Amino acid sequence: MSKKDKLNLLGLNQESLTKLFESLGEKPYRVKQLMQWIYKYHELDFDKMLNFSKNLRQQLSEMACIELPKVAKQDHALDGVIKWVIDTGRDNFIETVYIPSDDRGTLCISSQVGCSLDCTFCSTGMQGFNRNLSVAEIIGQVMLANHYLKDKSKRISNVVFMGMGEPLLNEKAVYPACDLLLDGLAFGLSRRKVTVSTSGVVPALLRMADRVPVSLAVSLHAADDSLRDELVPINQKYPIKDLLEACKVYLNAGTQERHILFEYVMLDGVNDSVAQAKKLVTVLKGMSAKVNLIPFNPFPETQYKTSKEVTIKNFQDVLFAGGIRTTTRRTRGEDVNAACGQLAGQVVDKTKRTKKIL
Ligand code: SAH
Ligand code: SF4
């Protein structure tokens, strides 16, 4: 069997690994041992897993592999941000970003090669869409960052699906990846430290509410449908009212208390007026919500400009006055194009878009 045809065990959660080991006539406790080798000891070679019988090691080597994504480039920004450009084959590249701060290390991961949703202010959207990433390709981003950081005594405390792609258009891979991020035998992160960010794919959001107990960020960016239709075109299909109803379902699901982070990119003269801020207060009233204002990060070909500092402050003051918890995101990793919305990777567009960066 060529390496290409082998099953990449990185993509399998505990349940799937148990099925696989059962099919090999192995006891379930072997799954725990395997996961320890992979996630605790970072061992990718079956031959070195010495508590497995020779026969099992051989069987695994023949049918499976543990393969990390291929790093094409690693960039270091002056503020400590690290960006990995990952080769996903056929001239496609995705990006993963590590953002260190005093009390945490956040890894921003991609879920798709490009994105089909075409938000007007997003450089990933402008590149078009090629394909969904597999669970192994998603988890592989965390593995390879972990691998690099552990030697530098740095750690990943939070994982956010805020890189390239719309995670809720790749539910098949994103949910099992979340399982592994939360699983104590794999990454063991708490549900509050794993965040799925969505532009508002309502049916998927309703499914997610029951399927994975992770944190939710919603890219709102406008407080009325006419403006949101323009900035986030999926709003034409799932308008704000439907989106907020789905948000309420998410908030009421599960056994533990939940909150939502609403992201709002600040675009000069577009969505940053005091009137929009007031509408936003009305829209979010009564919800367990926090707003994160993101100064727009420019990229080539964009017409948008970042809101002025004073405008962002005024906008934030209106939200404060309306009783809404609000933070403004500090832009990080700009010098290596690693800031929010600057991730472009390289995407061989399979959609019929006319609008492209190149
Ligand atoms: N597709 C998902 C997650 C990836 S984008 C989503 O849209 O939520 C992560 C965040 O970056 C989103 O809130 C997105 O709206 C924001 N973003 C996109 N382009 C941006 C830009 N140029 N400047 C600042 N934020 C941007
Ligand atoms: Fe896709 Fe999110 Fe970019 Fe919109 S903001 S185009 S949903 S990646």
Side-chain angles (χ1 to χ4, degrees), residues 146-275:
N146 245 340
H147 226 70
Y148 176 80
L149 295 166
K150 84 173 171 19
D151 296 339
K152 315 271 174 300
S153 309
K154 289 183 183 147
R155 69 189 185 103
I156 296 170
S157 61
N158 297 59
V159 173
V160 295
F161 283 84
M162 292 185 187
M164 292 168 69
E166 169 49 55
L168 292 190
L169 287 180
N170 185 11
E171 292 174 90
K172 208 170 131 226
V174 166
Y175 298 160
C178 288
D179 292 340
L180 282 165
L181 291 170
L182 301 182
D183 189 337
L185 285 178
F187 298 97
L189 295 172
S190 98
R191 63 183 186 90
R192 266 175 263 103
K193 309 274 180 183
V194 177
T195 303
V196 167
S197 174
T198 180
S199 56
V201 187
V202 166
L205 180 48
L206 292 169
R207 286 188 289 270
M208 179 191 146
D210 290 323
R211 171 64 178 81
V212 276
V214 296
S215 299
L216 174 68
V218 172
S219 298
L220 198 57
H221 307 315
D224 63 62
D225 282 326
S226 61
L227 183 55
R228 196 164 189 270
D229 278 351
E230 186 191 314
L231 300 178
V232 186
I234 197 172
N235 194 70
Q236 295 161 23
K237 197 162 179 193
Y238 307 117
I240 293 176
K241 185 172 160 291
D242 298 4
L243 176 58
L244 293 178
E245 265 166 32
C247 287
K248 284 179 189 149
V249 171
Y250 167 85
L251 286 172
N252 292 325
T255 49
Q256 283 141 320
E257 204 185 337
R258 291 182 168 188
H259 312 277
I260 297 177
L261 181 73
F262 286 93
E263 297 161 285
Y264 197 101
V265 63
M266 296 298 287
L267 304 166
D268 185 36
V270 177
N271 64 351
D272 60 354
S273 67
V274 165

Side-chain angles (χ1 to χ4, degrees), residues 16 22 61 92 101 115 188 219 232 249 275 298 307 318 325 343 356:
S16 314
E22 269 168 13
S61 306
N92 286 299
S101 62
C115 183
S219 298
V232 186
V249 171
S307 301
V318 175
R325 284 181 302 145
L343 303 189
K356 280 199 190 157

